[in-house]
Amino acid sequence: MQNMDYATKDVHMLRMSETLEPELSAGQSSQPEPERVLHPPALLQLNLPNQDPAEAQPQTELKLQKWPPQRQQEPDLENQQPNERTKPAWIKRSCTLSLFILGFCLCAIFITTFYSLRHGNQSQEVLVIPCDSPACQRASVHLSMSADPFTHPCDYFLFSCRSNRPSPDVQGQQREKSRRDVKEKRTLDRKTELLQYLREILESNDGLASSAVQKAKGFYRTCLDTKSLDIAGVEPFLALIHKLGGWSVSGQWNQTDFNSTLSVLMRDYATFPFFNVYVDEDPTDTAGKRTKRYIQIDQPDLLIPIEWNNETEKTQVTKETLLPFLALCDRHLALLGAPPGSGMIHVGAFISLSSELAVAEAPLSHRSSKGQLYQRLTIKELQHKAPAIDWLGCLQAAFHSQPLFEDDHILLHNLPYIVQMSHIISNWMSGHELSSSGPLHTFMVLNLLHTLLPALDSRFSDTANNLSADLGDTGVRQRNLHSKTNALSELFTAAPRWKRCVLETERGFNGVLAHLFREDVTGREAEELSENILSSFKSQLHELKWSDKKTLQFVMNKVQSVTPRIVSTKENSSEAELDLLYSEVSISIHSFFSNYLQLLSLLQKRRSRLLHADSDDADILPPSPSLLGNELIIPMGMFIPPRFHPTYPRAMNYGVMGFLLAKDLLHVLLPDIHAKSATVGALGQCVWSSYRTVTYKDSEALPLPAAPQQEVWVQYSALQIALKAYQKSLKKQPADTSISGFSRTRLFFMAFSQVNCDADQYHHLMPLEPSFLITAICAKSRLCPPNLQCPKTTPRHSSHGC
C-alpha cells in the first residue's frame, strides 16, 4: 500500500506541456506556436538529453481522480438511510474494484502514450517522426561531428569570419579543438560544394542511364585521363592548324582568307579573337509579354594583361606584366615546333596587334556611363561602320541554324571599339610591313590555342601556372578589365583536375546535368521554401525604421514586383529529347581533344538555339540568385546536399537553405539599405557589442564601419526571416520529421550553425561567425534553453535582445 501511495502522487503530478515554436521579428519577441508533446509521470519520466528545457513548459493540467482513493472516515451507520444500511457488501467490493480498474487503465493509457511519443508512433498527430532516408543518415553524421551550440556554448562561435582565428582570451582553450579543426576543413564555399555534387553525379555508375547521360559521363572520364593527353602531345592541335591552312610560324601557310578563317573559328570552335558574340535580351525592350533575344557584339577578352587607367580613361599595357606573358607565348610556340629564335618575331607582332586593340577597350562601368551599352544597329549599318569584317557572313556561319539578313537588328556594347578594331585590321591587312607573314592569322591561331588549352597536354598547363606565379610576383592586378590571361591563371592555378573537368562537362552537357538535378534535388519542396522565404522577407521590411515614407514605398514597390523562378523548372526535357539533342555527339574513350572539339560545337549550337523566344537554357552553376528585370532567378544549383534535400526535416532545410536564400535576397534587393534605415546600423552595432562582450569581455566595443554593420544586420535578419518562413510552413503542414531525436527548434539552429562563414562575395565584411546569431536571437526569445550562455564570460551579455 505504501508503493501505491507513491503511485498516487506520481499520477497526480502528470502534466501535458507544449513545445514552443517561435515567430520572431526584428523588433519584438514572438509568441511561439505550440508543438504538443505529452510528458510522462515523474516516476516514469526518462532523461531526454535532446529535449530543450524551454520546450517543456507546462501548459495544461489534466484533472485525474486519485488512485487509490483517500482513506474515508468510518461511516455513521446510525445516520445512514435504510437502503444504504442494507446495501450488500459485495456491491461495496464491486465499486472498489471498479475504481481500482479505472485507475489502472488510466495509468496504462498514460504509459502507452509516453511510449508512443518516445518511439515515434506515426498515428499520433503530436509525434516527431524520425527521418531515416540516406540523406538524413549522412546529415546525422554531419551534425554529430560538429559542436552543438546548446551543449557547448563557449566553443561554437569562437572564430571570426574576418580572421578565422579565435579571440585572444580563448586561444588557450583546447576543448572541442579537434571538432573545430574537422569543421574548418569541411567548410566549403557554395560553388565548391556544387561542383563536388556534380562530381558525384558524373562518377556514379548507372548501367541503365540514357545515351545523353552516358555521353556526359564519358566526356568527364576522358577529361580526367591526363595520361592519354600527354601521350598525344601537340599532334592533335598541329593537325587542326593544318586543316585551317597552316601558319607562318611553321613556315607552311597557304594565305587563307581572313574572313573565311574567322567564320570557321566562330562556327566550329566557339572562338572569337577580335570581338565577342553571344545572345541575350534587351532590358530596354518592354514591348510585348516576352522579351526578344538579340545577337550581341561586345569587345573581346584579349590575351595580353591589360589595365584601366582611371585618370586618362585609357587601357594600358605595362612592362612588368607583359614580360611574363612574352615568355609564355615563346614557350607555347616552342612546344608547337617553332624554329629556335623565330618565335619572338611572331610574338612581337602578336603583342603589337593586341596592344593596338586594347587601347579602344573600356570597362563596363565606363561604357555604361557613356551610354555605349545596348546600341541597336542593323547588320547592314554595322557593315558600313566597320567594313573590315564580313559581318553577315561571319554571323550566318556562327548561327547557321537560324536565317539571318542584313536588315536584322543586333546590339553593340562598345561601338567605338568595333570601329577602331576594323580600322586596325585594315591596316594590318595591307599597309603593315609584317602583313606578308600573316600576323592576323597568327593572332587567330593563338586565340584558338587558348580556347583549346584544357584539351592539351600538361606542359601547357604547367606554363600557365608559371605565368600565374610570375604575375602574382609583380604585385600587379588587372583592374576593371577582364582578359583571357587573367581567366587562364584562374583556370589552372590550384584547381584540381576534377574541378576543371566538371566545369567543362557542365559547359557542354548542362542540359543533361540539369535533368539529373531535377530528378534528385529540386521540386515542390524547393519552390515552397523559396515562396515562404520571399513572403517573410517582404513582411520583415515593415519592421524597419525608414528614413522617410517615400523610401519605404520605393523599396516595397521594388520588392513586390519581384517574381521568383527556380531556373530549369520549365525546361523539362525528357531523356528521349536529350538523347536526340546529343545524337550527333560521338564520345571517344581515348581522345579528349576530339571530345573537346565537339563540346565547342555544342556551345555554338546552343547560342543559335537561344535566338528562339521559347528556348531557355538552364544555368545550374551560379551558387546564388540574381535579378533579371522583375524576375528573381534562383539557380537550381543552390538546392543540393548538405545544404538542402527534399527528405530533410524542414527545420534543417530552412535553417540552412532558408537562411542562405534570405541573405542573398537582402543583398540583391537591398544593396544600400544602411543609408535608408537607422535600424540597420543600430542592430548591427548591438550584435557586435554583444559578441565583443562574450569573446573579449569588452563591454564598450568600438563602432563598426557601415559595411560590416550592414552585413551583421543582413545575416541577423536573414536568420529571422528563415525562422518566420519555417513557422509559416508549419502552419500549413504541422508535421515535420527529425534527425537524432532533436526538437524542431534545436535542429533548426544546429543546422544553421553549420553555415559557418559561408564563403561568398560578402564574407570579408562579416566580423563574427554567423553562429553567434543564435545567442543574439535566443537572448530575446523563449524558445531557447535558458543556459545558452558561456559561463566563462559575463553572464549578462544575453540578458536583453538586439
Side-chain angles (χ1 to χ4, degrees), residues 455-476:
L456 296 178
D457 66 75
S458 58
R459 293 174 297 174
F460 289 89
S461 59
D462 291 342
T463 305
N465 281 328
N466 293 335
L467 170 65
S468 177
D470 291 339
L471 290 177
D473 291 340
T474 63
V476 177

Side-chain angles (χ1 to χ4, degrees), residues 352-626:
S352 178
L353 175 56
S354 300
S355 300
E356 290 185 38
L357 294 172
V359 172
E361 288 203 349
L364 184 64
S365 58
H366 178 79
R367 287 178 282 150
S368 178
S369 65
K370 299 295 184 180
Q372 297 175 351
L373 303 180
Y374 301 102
Q375 291 183 265
R376 185 174 301 197
L377 282 77
T378 64
I379 297 177
K380 183 178 181 179
E381 291 172 337
L382 178 59
Q383 188 66 54
H384 177 73
K385 293 180 178 295
I389 305 294
D390 178 12
W391 291 104
L392 182 60
C394 288
L395 293 177
Q396 285 177 336
F399 301 93
H400 56 275
S401 62
Q402 306 296 321
L404 291 178
F405 307 97
E406 61 180 8
D407 292 331
D408 289 339
H409 284 92
I410 56 176
L411 300 179
L412 273 75
H413 296 273
N414 191 346
L415 181 58
Y417 166 82
I418 297 298
V419 173
Q420 181 68 14
M421 177 265 299
S422 175
H423 180 69
I424 293 172
I425 289 177
S426 297
N427 289 339
W428 280 79
M429 277 184 176
S430 55
H432 202 279
E433 64 271 14
L434 296 176
S435 59
S436 59
S437 62
L440 293 174
H441 187 76
T442 298
F443 184 89
M444 291 188 285
V445 170
L446 288 178
N447 273 269
L448 177 61
L449 174 67
H450 177 273
T451 300
L452 293 172
L453 275 178
L456 296 178
D457 66 75
S458 58
R459 293 174 297 174
F460 289 89
S461 59
D462 291 342
T463 305
N465 281 328
N466 293 335
L467 170 65
S468 177
D470 291 339
L471 290 177
D473 291 340
T474 63
V476 177
R477 297 181 179 180
Q478 298 182 14
R479 298 186 295 269
N480 300 326
L481 279 174
H482 176 78
S483 75
K484 289 181 180 178
T485 304
N486 191 39
L488 179 67
S489 61
E490 292 179 355
L491 177 65
F492 290 104
T493 302
R497 182 71 185 182
W498 71 263
K499 183 178 292 187
R500 289 151 53 187
C501 290
V502 169
L503 289 170
E504 296 295 352
T505 306
E506 195 279 335
R507 288 177 67 202
F509 296 88
N510 66 328
V512 177
L513 294 182
H515 174 75
L516 296 175
F517 254 67
R518 282 192 299 273
E519 289 185 340
D520 296 340
V521 178
T522 61
R524 180 180 56 82
E525 294 83 1
E527 294 177 354
E528 178 185 306
L529 182 144
S530 300
E531 293 171 358
N532 288 338
I533 290 294
L534 184 59
S535 175
S536 298
F537 167 78
K538 293 177 180 178
S539 66
Q540 188 86 349
L541 298 181
H542 292 285
E543 301 173 4
L544 300 179
K545 294 180 180 179
W546 295 91
S547 56
D548 52 65
K549 292 183 178 180
K550 185 178 180 180
T551 300
L552 171 60
Q553 190 62 39
F554 172 80
V555 172
M556 290 304 300
N557 290 340
K558 176 182 179 181
V559 173
Q560 292 293 347
S561 64
V562 170
T563 302
R565 177 167 73 89
I566 298 180
V567 172
S568 86
T569 55
K570 64 182 184 181
E571 300 92 23
N572 294 317
S573 300
S574 64
E575 290 187 354
E577 291 172 330
L578 289 171
D579 288 345
L580 179 62
L581 181 63
Y582 291 92
S583 60
E584 298 180 2
V585 176
S586 178
I587 298 298
S588 170
I589 62 175
H590 298 298
S591 176
F592 179 62
F593 187 88
S594 172
N595 296 338
Y596 198 77
L597 293 182
Q598 294 185 77
L599 175 141
L600 298 177
S601 179
L602 285 172
L603 294 179
Q604 193 51 41
K605 289 179 180 178
R606 183 183 304 165
R607 291 188 179 93
S608 297
R609 292 198 307 272
L610 287 177
L611 284 177
H612 287 299
D614 58 347
S615 175
D616 202 356
D617 249 15
D619 191 0
I620 61 178
L621 282 184
S624 58
S626 60

